[in-house]
Amino acid sequence: MADEALASTGVTLRPAGAQDAVAGVRPRWVALPESTEEVAALLRVAAERDLAVVPVGGGTKLDWGPPPERCDLLVDLCCLSEVVEHVAGDLVLRVQAGITLETLRDRLAIAGQELALDVPVPGTTVGGLLATALAGPRRFRYGTARDLLIGITVVLADGTVARSGGKVVKNVAGYDLGKLFTGSYGTLGVITEANFRLHPLPPERRWVTAEYGTDVRRGRELRREFPVDPGPLLQELAASQAEPTAIELDWADSGDVYTLSVLVEGAAAEERAEAVRAIMTGAELGDKPPAWWGRLPEHVTLAEIRVPPGVAGQAVREVAGADLPGRRLRGSAGAGVFHLGLRDGAGVTGIRARLAPLGGRVTVLAGPDGGADRWGPIGALGLMRRVKERFDPDRRMSPGRFAGGI
Amino acid sequence: MIATLAQRLKAVLPDQAVITDPVRLRTYECDGLTYHRATPGVVVLPESAEEIAAVVRLCQEFQVPFVARGSGTGLSGGALPRSDGVLIVTSRMRRILDIDLPNRRAVVEPGVTNLAITEAVRDAGYYYAPDPSSQQICSIGGNVAENSGGAHCLKYGFTVNHVLALELVTPDGDIVELTELDDGYDLLGAFIGSEGTLGIATKITVRLSRAPETVTTLLAAFATIEGGGTAVSSIIGAGIVPAAIEMMDALAIEAAEAAVRCEYPAGAGAVLIVELDGPTAEVARQFAAVERICREAGSFEIRVAASAEERAAIWRGRKSAFAAVGRISPAYIVQDGVVPRTALPEVLAGIDRLQEEFGIRVANVFHAGDGNLHPLVLFDDAEPGQGERAETVSGRILDLCIEHGGSITGEHGVGVDKSRYMPRMFTDDDLATMQLVRCAFDPGYLSNPGKIFPTPRLCGEVPRVRKGPHPHEAELF
């Protein structure tokens, strides 16, 4: 019955297999729409037939987060992967949600431009990046997806197609639905198109990298003087008038040495990187990033730590002091956002308690949660539930995949 | 009913914080857009979030609309009061509550002026980046409502990119905190720029930015506006993102000259102000390129500010431009349309044609870097028919912006002034979807009603056709 109705939309449809499972829940069908209108047609049928829908892009994070309460239809946006409009002179881009960021990067590079967002997980699509709001090193300078998104097209649970924003950078006409959908984990509707502000590709990039020890017991084996607390150095780097684009920390094993790497890009990058090197004792300067740059740490359970930037150093010490088997910490120390790889979810409750006094938040992005709530406390959960009820009153869009059971 | 409400308001606020005297009420009848006027039913001057919450709860009880107002400098009638409602003025909430340099943030009350934040942290080498031209008097609460920009948002973004957390009073009268650190929907982002329709911000945590090592400001004079336009395109095409690129045409220069004697180069058909900031080494390289580009585009005079005073002198003409046209015209309408930068020449030509067709002069002042036009449509309100013609020209300019893929407002907001143009830019479905957010926050339609949307969406009850109970029903509200 429902399959006939879905087939009547003319959208390519196939039965779902085990590989299509969403955090362990196997849908019944996978649809491959090729336009916003086709997505709308699918969602209208889903509304009539009470089908639960989960949108998917590259599928790189489909096993993240809690499983959906139910899932009938996976809407795969792989075939919505066109660059709709790129006017280089306007530094503005309009793309369909299924395009991967790697493809986009190559396309834009031809025009000497870029979308200044990093891709911590290879194969991520524009839609997936927006839905999860995952960001990488350059958030320190450019912010995250929400800051560069200037327009969005979405399809709501009942098949309504809605747009907000536009293709100009400066625009305050109407509510910004883009902000609302960014980081909404597919629970409000399906993102089918996005407009972004672009930046010129920087003419030069330099990385200034140094290792810092944390344990004086290794004294002679280490090559430099090592501060235990990265806090003061992070403060100095963040305030540096050399204007670094990113300040990253990697502590990807249980050893006593962590690495700080700072990206300086743009005109006169070499001179500015030298100014950064003067702050970082014993640092090396190069035109290639360290191998770990912009990648998530290895993990079974992956948590995101967010703290006010001034206490990032303390947060690192709290993580170091916690009993976290197999801990791997990496992230944007300058911005106060880290990713923590763990062997299991057992340590989540403990690290959350340690960071709470600093105003920190810990979210379990992927893997077993060890019995902890995946999401931290949320001040405005009541309002969020009301938003969800208005957009998706029947709870059919990725139900249960989001904070507070949304 | 308002009289009864006023009595009840006096029970939750000090007597002097509730204004009912008709003469005093009239001082609040408009914001910066003076041709929309309404005398508020009652005005309150609360001093805390708790007081605002108490006022809002009373409005709910009486089913009376409320409007929030900061300094009243808005240019879209966003703070236009309701004669059947309460105007909540935040001017007594102007404390800077915390300056936290290690975390690069400050916590302020909504009535604090934009510039006061920068002044409080300047000596420490920091500033608050968004800088609307009214920054000396406009309030942060108003900036949050309008998502204010300014000349420097080309490089640094808008209010929404610089606010880290908000405490707000919801239209239900609850006090809620939204922070970028929390999981969940980005309600912080959705709230900023909602023009007072989703509640009232009562505490604002803003990002403080490190002052750049170097600021260089250049003024280039061109014989024609086309020359200036070519320079702008070439600067952007060279991969340079200046802190600001502003342009003024001959009529705007004439007005500024009459008002503040800015002494821009004589005979200029257009002037361009380009400001570069950042690390000294970077600015030095970019500046050389900008200067060369301006000369190649035909600039006949370039001035470079060598000091803070000279920079202020260059900016004086630009920042005075709106008020200055009062010197050359009895009345004017300011527009705030945006076009893709590459469409600027065509749209400016279109504005020229409108001037000829309707016999109405238009002075052009604009943020050229991001295509945000501020055409000043000049008219004499004593001349019969001129006001209507100016209004028509103004609307046609917005049509031009929309035709070229732009927006009806870049930074002033929709308010009451431009709500009728919203359907030209958005479909009914777009507007109805946006109003789902309104329904989630303000189902009773009491928070600044009549702004942004030309037609209110009736919210009704939340349709509850669930198959089972909400897993977290017990925690709801």
Side-chain angles (χ1 to χ4, degrees), chain A residues 74-282:
Chain A
L74 200 65
V75 175
D76 187 336
L77 293 146
C78 62
C79 306
L80 269 143
S81 57
E82 297 291 315
V83 171
V84 183
E85 194 177 358
H86 172 218
V87 183
D90 291 329
L91 284 162
V92 161
L93 172 77
R94 183 173 157 212
V95 285
Q96 292 181 318
I99 193 168
T100 65
L101 285 143
E102 288 90 344
T103 306
L104 196 53
R105 182 189 57 207
D106 296 344
R107 286 282 297 271
L108 294 173
I110 297 166
Q113 298 183 350
E114 65 166 348
L115 174 58
L117 297 170
D118 301 300
V119 193
V121 183
T124 297
T125 60
V126 161
L129 181 85
L130 289 172
T132 57
L134 190 68
R138 290 186 298 168
R139 67 184 304 147
F140 180 68
R141 163 84 11 179
Y142 294 104
T144 60
R146 57 128 37 201
D147 296 296
L148 299 181
L149 181 72
I150 58 171
I152 196 164
T153 303
V154 296
V155 182
L156 304 190
D158 64 0
T160 301
V161 176
R163 295 181 173 82
S164 88
K167 55 177 195 176
V168 286
V169 170
K170 200 172 179 186
N171 179 8
V172 294
Y175 291 164
D176 190 346
L177 297 177
K179 297 280 189 300
L180 197 61
F181 274 75
T182 301
S184 67
Y185 279 80
T187 59
L188 295 176
V190 180
I191 300 167
T192 60
E193 271 186 31
N195 304 353
F196 290 100
R197 166 185 193 171
L198 302 176
H199 282 84
L201 262 180
E204 306 166 56
R205 285 190 167 129
R206 293 289 182 276
W207 280 265
V208 186
T209 307
E211 288 182 350
Y212 296 90
T214 59
D215 193 333
V216 289
R217 283 172 305 173
R218 289 186 61 180
R220 272 184 32 189
E221 290 175 42
L222 297 171
R223 291 172 288 134
R224 309 178 190 97
E225 284 294 312
F226 299 112
V228 171
D229 179 1
L233 178 57
L234 290 174
Q235 287 286 330
E236 209 178 334
L237 288 168
S240 165
Q241 289 181 312
E243 295 191 3
T245 301
I247 303 168
E248 292 285 297
L249 177 142
D250 176 53
W251 197 349
D253 58 42
S254 56
D256 302 324
V257 178
Y258 62 84
T259 306
L260 277 183
S261 185
V262 176
L263 168 63
V264 179
E265 56 183 8
E270 179 87 18
E271 282 172 75
R272 291 156 54 208
E274 285 294 351
V276 169
R277 176 148 76 170
I279 303 172
M280 294 170 69
T281 320

Side-chain angles (χ1 to χ4, degrees), chain A residues 89-90 146-147 163 170-172 175 187 197 235 239 241 306 310 334 361 363 379 386 389-390 394 406, chain B residues 102-104 154 161 172 181-183 185-186 197 210-211 341-342 367 372 407 409 430 434 440 465 477:
Chain A
D90 291 329
R146 57 128 37 201
D147 296 296
R163 295 181 173 82
K170 200 172 179 186
N171 179 8
V172 294
Y175 291 164
T187 59
R197 166 185 193 171
Q235 287 286 330
Q241 289 181 312
R306 300 181 298 279
R361 307 286 198 281
T363 307
R386 284 160 67 163
E389 285 174 351
R390 292 290 173 179
D394 300 338
I406 290 171
Chain B
N103 284 312
R104 307 191 291 274
L154 173 64
N161 308 111
D172 289 338
L181 289 174
D182 270 357
D183 282 311
Y185 297 133
D186 183 5
T197 61
R210 185 81 162 102
R341 193 170 29 236
T342 49
H367 306 298
N372 186 192
S407 169
T409 175
D430 298 342
M434 289 178 193
V465 279
F477 320 124

